[in-house]
Amino acid sequence: VYVQSQGGYVSKNGDVLVLKHDLLEFGLGQPLDTSQLNLFGNVQVSTQVIQELCRRGIPVIYLSSGGWFYGMTAGSLHKNIDLRIHQYRTVNDQERSLSLARRFVATKIRNCRTLLRRNAENLDRESLIRLQESAEAAEKAASAASLLGIEGDAAAVYFGAFSLMIKRSELAGGFTFEGRNRRPPTDPVNALLSYAYSLLVKDLTVTLAAAGFDPFLGFYHRPRYGRPSLALDLMEEFRPLVADSTVIGAINNGILTPSDFIRAGGGVALKPNARKAFITAYERRLDQLIRHPVFGYQISYRRVLDVQCRLLGRHLSGEIPTYPEFLTR
């Protein structure tokens, strides 16, 4: 459930969540049918709702009106303390941390390459070769610093060709992309990318916490106050497959137009109705069924996020020798 009505108030009536806004009431669905309650900006929630959702293990997610993830309210911490002990030990082992970081980055680069190969028009072969070389270099990086440089070089190639995935059609008319920028994004495509990444890191933070991890302690993204570093680690391989793919689909299918954005303070942001449309597109992408490259059966991307978190846990505990990255073809 996503609540974006500024000034809204979420309460409960029996087992049903209710949104009150501008003297009107809207049913949001039963708590048992809710996996998350996402509150954007100036939205209030009653103590009774928080207590009920905590009791049922359903997190309340707090985000800015523009989608910046602040944090969440959940029930008591997951009881899997053994998993967190393995996580803390691995973080303090530089070689094991670097090994995981190499896999995260190399997989992201390969998935970026696949997305370009599938969707970019008139893509030069040199870009694909450079991305393949970057992925191979990432697998052999001698330090986190060198890995960061390799990732940066690959990102320059990928985003340098990103505009080739935006179709030159009437539906996608008016969108241009000249390179990645953020904080704040200065054009509609970058605004969509930042918003999609915020939604994805939010979902991975929730999924990691549900599996028993500490989402704020990562292996590649080093700890920083308030940053869900482990969620950012796991997000690497899914950036192109979930977030970037959602952005490209929303533009090419005419779900959003340039008129759906506002400019203020040197940045660009989505209008409220456009945010709703984009969230719907993002949720639809998470529900899309794909064949898992390790297990061979079909599951949704939403389920894949959970599977990858649990595979990481099995690797850290020594049950499997390596982390099986999610690599599409």
Side-chain angles (χ1 to χ4, degrees):
V1 174
Y2 293 81
V3 184
Q4 302 184 78
S5 302
Q6 299 304 288
Y9 180 77
V10 180
S11 60
K12 64 186 289 285
N13 183 0
D15 281 341
V16 178
L17 295 178
V18 175
L19 169 65
K20 297 179 181 179
H21 182 254
D22 290 341
L23 303 180
L24 299 175
E25 288 191 2
F26 307 88
L28 297 177
Q30 296 182 345
L32 282 175
D33 296 330
T34 304
S35 60
Q36 300 173 17
L37 175 60
N38 296 274
L39 308 179
F40 289 78
N42 181 26
V43 179
Q44 308 300 315
V45 60
S46 73
T47 301
Q48 289 75 19
V49 168
I50 293 176
Q51 290 176 342
E52 180 68 14
L53 295 186
C54 283
R55 185 179 69 82
R56 297 177 185 238
I58 300 170
V60 182
I61 315 298
Y62 305 97
L63 306 103
S64 71
S65 58
W68 182 262
F69 175 69
Y70 288 137
M72 64 180 179
T73 298
S76 60
L77 288 175
H78 196 285
K79 297 178 177 61
N80 194 351
I81 186 60
D82 287 339
L83 175 59
R84 290 194 289 279
I85 290 174
H86 289 304
Q87 179 185 357
Y88 301 150
R89 286 175 176 167
T90 303
V91 167
N92 290 320
D93 185 328
Q94 292 187 359
E95 184 54 40
R96 288 193 69 192
S97 291
L98 179 59
S99 177
L100 282 168
R102 292 189 194 110
R103 295 185 78 84
F104 295 147
V105 174
T107 303
K108 180 183 78 167
I109 295 172
R110 287 196 167 94
N111 284 338
C112 286
R113 183 180 184 274
T114 298
L115 193 69
L116 283 177
R117 183 169 50 81
R118 288 179 178 176
N119 299 284
E121 295 183 352
N122 302 316
L123 178 66
D124 62 284
R125 181 173 173 77
E126 179 64 23
S127 295
L128 295 178
I129 293 174
R130 290 179 62 187
L131 287 173
Q132 179 62 30
E133 291 173 346
S134 292
E136 293 172 357
E139 292 176 328
K140 304 172 184 176
S143 66
S146 63
L147 184 60
L148 191 63
I150 294 167
E151 182 187 22
D153 291 341
V157 174
Y158 173 65
F159 285 115
F162 193 88
S163 62
L164 299 178
M165 293 189 286
I166 299 176
K167 305 301 182 185
R168 304 305 173 198
S169 65
E170 183 176 345
L171 287 176
F175 283 98
T176 59
F177 183 82
E178 298 179 357
R180 183 75 176 111
N181 60 71
R182 56 200 178 101
R183 298 179 184 175
T186 59
D187 61 81
V189 178
N190 275 292
L192 289 175
L193 287 171
S194 293
Y195 198 71
Y197 295 154
S198 182
L199 293 175
L200 184 54
V201 75
K202 175 265 298 182
D203 282 331
L204 276 165
T205 300
V206 173
T207 305
L208 284 164
F213 284 99
D214 181 344
F216 291 87
L217 193 61
F219 308 108
Y220 178 49
H221 294 83
R222 305 313 295 174
R224 181 189 300 170
Y225 185 84
R227 181 169 75 173
S229 297
L230 187 57
L232 293 171
D233 284 356
L234 265 291
M235 186 171 76
E236 294 291 4
E237 56 192 350
F238 294 105
R239 283 178 185 263
L241 303 181
V242 176
D244 297 355
S245 181
T246 299
V247 171
I248 293 300
I251 292 173
N252 290 343
N253 294 323
I255 296 173
L256 299 172
T257 67
S259 63
D260 287 318
F261 299 82
I262 56 175
R263 297 182 180 272
V268 173
L270 282 158
K271 294 179 180 178
N273 286 339
R275 284 201 301 269
K276 183 177 181 179
F278 186 73
I279 288 171
T280 300
Y282 169 79
E283 289 289 324
R284 189 181 300 119
R285 179 62 175 172
L286 285 181
D287 287 335
Q288 183 174 340
L289 296 177
I290 48 88
R291 188 172 300 280
H292 196 283
V294 175
F295 300 110
Y297 50 72
Q298 282 197 326
I299 54 176
S300 68
Y301 273 113
R302 192 186 310 278
R303 178 62 178 145
V304 167
L305 299 183
D306 179 67
V307 168
Q308 293 304 113
C309 290
R310 298 184 185 279
L311 286 174
L312 177 61
R314 292 183 63 189
H315 167 59
L316 297 184
S317 64
E319 294 181 46
I320 54 178
T322 58
Y323 167 69
E325 70 273 18
F326 186 83
L327 187 65
T328 190
R329 295 181 179 179

